Amino acid sequence: MRTSHAVADAPPPLPEGPSATGSHPAPATPGVRTRSQHQRRRRIVQAAAALASRGGVEAMQMRTVAERAGVALGTLYRYFPSKMDLVVAVVGEEIDLLESSIERRPPHAAHPAGRAVDVLMRATRGLMREPELADALIRSLIMAEVEAPFGDRMASLLLRVAADGRTVNLPAEDQLALAGSLSGVWVQELLEMLRGRRTYEQIQHRIEIAAERLLAGF
C-alpha cells in the first residue's frame, strides 16, 4: 500500500473575522483545553483510526472523518490542519495506550535488553491487532513532513524501561541514541512483517539480538 500526505484533502477556505470560528471556538493550547474540547479531539482521533483500520490512510478523507466524528469540517481543520497532523495524533494515541500498559504491567526481565524487548513486542502485538492501521501509520510517518515525535517517544520509553531507575554509566546523549537505534530496528522489522517477509518469532529473535548489542552498556 502506498500512502502519502499528498492525497490529503485541501482545507476549505475559512472567512476572516469573528465568523471564522463558526459554532466551535478554536481549541485552547494543551493544558487549558476544556473537557468538551478534549472529548471532541478524542472523538476525531478515534474516527480517523477506525477509518484507517479498514482502508489505510486513503480512507482518512478529512470530510469523512468529520462526518464520522460528528463535527463540522472547519472544526476538524482547526484541530488538525492536515491529514498528516491527524495521522500523528492517531500514532500518539497508540503510544499513550502502550505507556498505560507499561505502567499497569511493568516489564520484569532482569536485564535492560529483556525489558526493552518486552516493550517492543508488546507494541508489536498491539499494532498487529489492526495490521491495516499499523501499515498506514508507519508508512505515513516515514513520509511525514510534519513533526512526528513517534521515534523520540519510543526511544524515551525504551530508555526509561531499560534503565529502570538505575544509574547508567553512559552520557545521556549516547543512551538516547542507542535507544533510538533499537526503536529504528523495530520499525524496520515491523514493516517487514507487514509485507509478509517476517514472522512474529523472527521479529522477536532479531530484536533480541539488537537489544543485547545496543544496550550492553546499560
Side-chain angles (χ1 to χ4, degrees), residues 37 63 92 126 158 171 209:
Q37 287 171 331
R63 188 175 300 278
L158 288 174
I209 293 173

Side-chain angles (χ1 to χ4, degrees), residues 11-15 19-28 33 36-45 62-63 65-67 69-82 85-86:
L14 296 175
S19 62
T21 58
S23 59
H24 298 296
R33 287 194 183 102
S36 63
Q37 287 171 331
H38 274 296
Q39 291 173 339
R40 190 179 303 127
R41 184 185 188 279
R42 184 173 179 80
R43 202 162 66 242
I44 292 170
V45 172
M62 299 296 267
R63 188 175 300 278
V65 173
E67 290 172 355
V71 301
L73 186 58
T75 300
L76 171 59
Y77 275 111
R78 280 189 285 276
Y79 280 86
F80 303 103
S82 73
D85 289 300
L86 191 49

Side-chain angles (χ1 to χ4, degrees), residues 49-176:
L51 289 166
S53 69
R54 290 166 175 79
V57 170
E58 289 86 351
M60 280 174 54
Q61 300 302 319
M62 299 296 267
R63 188 175 300 278
T64 308
V65 173
E67 290 172 355
R68 187 181 182 102
V71 301
L73 186 58
T75 300
L76 171 59
Y77 275 111
R78 280 189 285 276
Y79 280 86
F80 303 103
S82 73
K83 183 184 289 189
M84 280 311 308
D85 289 300
L86 191 49
V87 168
V88 169
V90 174
V91 172
E93 183 90 355
E94 294 295 318
I95 298 179
D96 288 344
L97 292 173
L98 176 62
E99 290 182 332
S100 296
S101 168
I102 299 302
E103 289 176 5
R104 290 194 306 271
R105 294 187 299 109
H108 294 300
H111 303 289
R115 293 191 291 274
V117 171
D118 183 307
V119 170
L120 293 175
M121 298 315 296
R122 201 180 299 188
T124 301
R125 290 191 296 273
L127 286 170
M128 293 311 295
R129 292 190 190 101
E130 296 280 1
E132 193 84 12
L133 176 60
D135 183 83
L137 295 179
I138 292 174
R139 291 176 186 272
S140 295
L141 283 177
I142 290 172
M143 301 173 69
E145 291 183 359
V146 299
E147 183 180 356
F150 175 73
D152 290 343
R153 284 192 65 185
M154 284 301 295
S156 296
L157 177 57
L158 288 174
L159 187 58
R160 189 164 67 247
V161 170
D164 195 28
R166 298 173 176 83
T167 300
V168 179
N169 293 320
L170 287 172
E173 186 176 343
D174 291 355
Q175 294 179 41
L176 194 58

